[in-house]
Amino acid sequence: MKRILYLTLTIMLCLTFFTAVTWAEEKASAASDKILSQQQVDELLQADDNPAAYVKIDEDAYKVYPDFKDKKAVRKELLKNLPTNKVLYLLTASEQTFTLAFDVVKDLEKSGRLYDNSRYMGGKDDSDAGAENIKANIHKFWFMKIPRGSTVYDDGVNVGIGIGIGRRHRGGIGIGW
């Protein structure tokens, strides 16, 4: 009986270890494969039938996202793994991809709901904040991921009001800071 228990425990530990290692390798390879330079993005955006979206995460670094199928895919693939408190730009040649991603961000902004413990805000972008050689068919918008408790919404006023009854206030009711 002890041998069967020991064997079962060993098999479970081995499977857990190999699954964790495989998952970590896939995540590392997926993250490194999806970063492009601005020049590469400019070239890819020239194709009108390209449904991919490119998010500017740094000065010369764009993260690539495949064609989004629905709103759930946008939330899961795009919004979950973004830097916080930073203005990001999404560029795409596909009007459908643009509309889907933009609608998800605007819906979250209007409702005020938290997703991934963050709030989102965004808007259409008509400036040259994205790729250098912008064609007329390139759709772009800016957005931000603001984590809960961020100082972005902090107005700097922290007033604590305490109400006390007893000896400190000489037998009366007092309000203190």
Side-chain angles (χ1 to χ4, degrees):
M1 186 66 176
K2 287 182 183 180
R3 287 183 188 175
I4 294 173
L5 182 62
Y6 178 75
L7 184 62
T8 305
L9 183 63
T10 305
I11 290 172
M12 287 176 49
L13 287 174
C14 289
L15 288 175
T16 304
F17 175 76
F18 289 121
T19 304
V21 169
T22 305
W23 179 76
E25 288 174 354
E26 287 176 359
K27 188 164 184 153
S29 68
S32 65
D33 292 342
K34 294 184 179 183
I35 303 295
L36 299 177
S37 70
Q38 186 167 346
Q39 183 180 7
Q40 292 170 321
V41 170
D42 286 341
E43 293 170 4
L44 291 170
L45 285 173
Q46 299 305 319
D48 292 333
D49 60 342
N50 183 2
Y54 307 94
V55 176
K56 184 177 183 177
I57 57 173
D58 234 350
E59 194 60 37
D60 192 35
Y62 287 81
K63 196 166 183 180
V64 180
Y65 294 94
D67 184 21
F68 298 121
K69 306 275 187 263
D70 55 3
K71 289 183 177 187
K72 184 177 180 181
V74 172
R75 288 191 301 265
K76 186 177 178 184
E77 295 174 20
L78 177 65
L79 299 180
K80 277 251 189 211
N81 301 314
L82 291 175
T84 58
N85 292 336
K86 185 175 179 180
V87 177
L88 304 167
Y89 297 93
L90 183 132
L91 300 132
T92 184
S94 169
E95 187 172 351
Q96 180 183 6
T97 301
F98 170 79
T99 304
L100 185 62
F102 185 73
D103 288 347
V104 168
V105 171
K106 291 310 277 183
D107 287 346
L108 286 171
E109 180 181 5
K110 286 178 185 175
S111 70
R113 290 184 319 238
L114 291 176
Y115 179 75
D116 192 30
N117 208 22
S118 299
R119 296 201 187 280
Y120 295 87
M121 62 188 325
K124 290 185 180 178
D125 186 12
D126 296 328
S127 69
D128 281 342
E132 288 180 357
N133 302 324
I134 295 291
K135 289 187 354 182
N137 70 335
I138 304 299
H139 305 284
K140 57 184 175 174
F141 71 92
W142 66 271
F143 63 104
M144 285 183 73
K145 178 180 181 179
I146 304 167
R148 184 179 192 169
S150 174
T151 58
V152 172
Y153 287 124
D154 188 13
D155 58 2
V157 179
N158 294 320
V159 178
I161 298 176
I163 299 174
I165 301 174
R167 293 184 186 175
R168 285 191 157 180
H169 299 286
R170 297 191 181 120
I173 298 175
I175 300 175
W177 295 76

